Each structure stands twice: as structure tokens, then as C-alpha cells.
Amino acid sequence: MNLEQQFQARIDQEIKVEPRDWMPEEYRQMNIRQIAQHAHSEIVGMLPEGNWITRAPSLRRKVALLAKVQDEGGHGLYLYSAAETLGISREELIDQLHEGKAKYSSIFNYPALTWADIGAIGWLVDGAAIMNQVSLTRTSYGPYARAMVRICKEESFHQRQGYEILLTLCRGTQEQKAMAQDSLNRWWWPALMMFGPNDDQSTHTEKSMNWKLKRKKNDELRQQFVDVTVPQAEYLGITVPDPDLKWNEERGHYDFGEINWDEFWQVVKGNGPCNKKRMNDRIKAHEEGAWVREAAMAYAEKRQQRKLQQAS
Ligand code: BYC
């Protein structure tokens, strides 16, 4: 067996690939691409929510939202670290994002207009993220799989904090319930787009599934998400904005309408409602945070020198 065959055999036996193992260059690059896109999604995903921290309606809501946004920064950190084990630096990855060369999830290019949107983001966006990430706890690259375990636990808290916000609004006044409905109307379809193009349009799925980098296809995960989420909307008493949504007894799944793929690709290409704002805000935050990175480096150096002095 040549190296590539041995590699595939280990994958087929569910043996995790670790940073020092031999791997095909294409496997390395595919992993870097996916992990980096995931990391970028986490830190860009902080922006629409961060905007609401100062406007949360109570101290309890504010504390929970603050914790969620901080968790997302942490998720970015574990994911950039996982990508670094594949031989690329965090600086390089961040530069790729800021230069518009790297993708991040389309969902974060939509605006969070009302407080109900913070509920919808937690419920739908984190809900979709969990659906995808639970399957990724079994991805073949060890550092990514292990990062996913912790991230999924934290995402579950995020999903519940979002659902609870909407539950409160739906049990409140007419205006509050209308606000919840409006947020579901605006976030439903973009949430379904998070799973990526249909399988027959997906460029990476086949290779990615063979290498068990991806464990479930885009359409299967999207269907799972719809099946789980529709009853949750019913419990809230609000309506999913899809006239074609219907339980299919034979399939044992919901049928649902066609996604607007033109909108999806426009957003992916940089033409969504907030793409430019997100990138400007991200670059500004990075530049304004330069002093924090410099101070942390200076402190680490000082500690290192003190340690060396003590040892000598
Ligand atoms: N948005 O061949 P395909 C979160 C791109 S956020 C933009 O199917 P693949 C959270 C795709 O990259 C959740 N681009 O790709 C954070 C590819 O382009 P390139 C983030 C998309 O990789 C804060 C092309 O379309 N989760 O957790 O096999 C707050 C063809 O697609 C999108 C992850 O990143 C999209 N939606 O499958 C709250 C999970 N979809 O690279 C929550 C890890 C596709 O050839 N990622 N594209 O230029 C994955 O599981 C997979 O990468 C995807 C796509 C399922 C997303």
C-alpha cells in the first residue's frame, strides 16, 4: 500500500488524523479551508449580536448575551489554533479574511434589527450550527473533532438562550409576538442557507465525505434541521414563512420550498445586506485591538525573562 492508501485505510477504520501524521496535501488544504471558514464565522458572528449588548432589555439578558458573544470569541480561538496545527499561522488566516480571500458563513451578512433577532439568532443560527457541528465531532482530523465537542456544549446553551428570548416574547404582548414572527420571517431562509448548496451543486462534498472530514451531506443536515425546528416554531405559536412546508408521512420528514439560491450566491460573493459593514467593523476591531496584542506579547516576554533569570 502506498502512503495515500494507508492514509485512507486509517480513515476508514475511524482512526483520527493527528498533526504530525502524514496526510495528502489536498486533505491538509481542505481542512485548513473548512476550519478557517468556521473560525472566521465565529468571530464575524460576534458582530451582529455585539451590537445588542448595550441594548439588552434586562441585566439578566445582558449577562447571557455577553457570555454568548465571549464564547464565540473563544470558539474562534480554538478553531484558529486547530488550523495552526496544519501549518498556517493565525496572522495569515486573519489577513486572508480581511483581504476578502476567505469565506465565512453567509448568515452573518444579515442585520440584527430588533431584540427578537437576538432570539432568532440563538434559536435558528446556533441551532443550525449545532446540527452541523454535532456531526463534525466525528470528523477525521483530531484537533478539529476535539474542538467541536466543547463548542457543541456551549452552542447548546446559546440555542436555549435564544429560544427562551422568543418564548418570552411570544407569551408577551401582541407587539412582542409580532416582533418574534417578523424575526422568524427574516431569519428562516438564511438559516437554511447555512448548510450550503444542494448536494449536486456542492464542490467539496464527495472528497470531503471520503476523507470523513464531513460526516453528513448538506441536504441531509438541512432536512434534519427543518424536522427539529418546525415543531419548536409551533410551540412558540409562530409560523414558518414557507407555504410549501408540509409533513410528508411517507418520507417521515417535512417537505419544504425551494431556497433562493441566487440570493445565497450573491451573499457568498460579498453582495449581501451587510458584507461590507461586517468586514469594515472586523478590520477596525483588529486594528484597535493591536495594543492589546502588543501588551500581551510584552507581558509574556517579561515573564519568560523572569523565569530564565530565576533558573540561572
Ligand atoms: N456561507 O462544496 P460546498 C457558528 C461555500 S457559524 C458561505 O458544499 P463544504 C456561529 C463553501 O465554502 C457556523 N459560504 O462546501 C457563530 C464553498 O466555497 P469554497 C459556521 C458557503 O465546505 C457565531 C462553496 O460554497 N459553521 O457556529 O463542503 C454565532 C461550495 O460549498 C456556505 C461552519 O463553518 C455558507 N453558508 O460545505 C452563532 C461549519 N455554504 O470554499 C453561530 C464547518 C457553502 O470552495 N463547515 N459555502 O470557496 C462546514 O461544515 C462546511 O464547510 C459547509 C459547506 C457545510 C458550511
Side-chain angles (χ1 to χ4, degrees), residues 33-34 37-38 41-42 45 49 68 72 103-106 108 125-126 129 132-133 136 144 155 193-197 202-205 214 218 264-265 268:
R33 179 191 66 85
Q34 182 168 321
Q37 284 179 5
H38 195 165
S41 302
E42 295 285 354
E49 296 173 304
K68 177 183 196 287
E72 280 148 8
K103 290 195 168 73
Y104 57 89
S105 183
S106 49
F108 301 115
V125 177
D126 286 271
N132 166 284
Q133 288 165 187
L136 290 176
Y144 191 25
E155 300 280 30
M193 294 176 196
M194 286 176 72
F195 295 94
S202 162
T203 35
H204 303 291
T205 293
K214 214 166 165 170
N218 300 359
F264 170 74
W265 290 114
V268 171

Side-chain angles (χ1 to χ4, degrees), residues 135-147:
S135 77
L136 290 176
T137 59
R138 295 184 301 114
T139 186
S140 55
Y141 189 56
Y144 191 25
R146 291 188 286 274

Side-chain angles (χ1 to χ4, degrees), residues 30 33-49 68-69 71-73 75 79 101-109 121-122 124-130 132-133 135-136 144 148 151 155 158 190-199 201-206 208-209 213-218 221-222 261 264-265 267-269:
M30 273 184 87
R33 179 191 66 85
Q34 182 168 321
I35 301 172
Q37 284 179 5
H38 195 165
H40 300 326
S41 302
E42 295 285 354
I43 59 164
V44 176
M46 297 166 77
L47 298 170
E49 296 173 304
K68 177 183 196 287
V69 174
D71 282 353
E72 280 148 8
H75 296 174
L79 288 163
K101 291 182 191 151
K103 290 195 168 73
Y104 57 89
S105 183
S106 49
I107 193 79
F108 301 115
N109 295 307
I121 291 174
L124 301 173
V125 177
D126 286 271
I130 297 170
N132 166 284
Q133 288 165 187
S135 77
L136 290 176
Y144 191 25
M148 281 301 111
I151 291 179
E155 300 280 30
H158 299 173
L192 296 194
M193 294 176 196
M194 286 176 72
F195 295 94
N198 287 138
D199 296 342
Q201 299 294 314
S202 162
T203 35
H204 303 291
T205 293
E206 195 185 337
S208 200
M209 294 287 289
L213 207 165
K214 214 166 165 170
R215 302 305 305 248
K216 287 189 179 178
K217 295 183 181 175
N218 300 359
L221 287 168
R222 190 171 8 248
W261 292 114
F264 170 74
W265 290 114
V267 176
V268 171
K269 281 187 207 140

Side-chain angles (χ1 to χ4, degrees), residues 27 30 73 76 109 130 132 143 169 184 200 202 208 210 223-224 241:
Y27 176 86
M30 273 184 87
N109 295 307
I130 297 170
N132 166 284
L169 291 175
L184 176 58
D200 58 0
S202 162
S208 200
N210 278 345
Q223 179 73 62
Q224 269 185 11

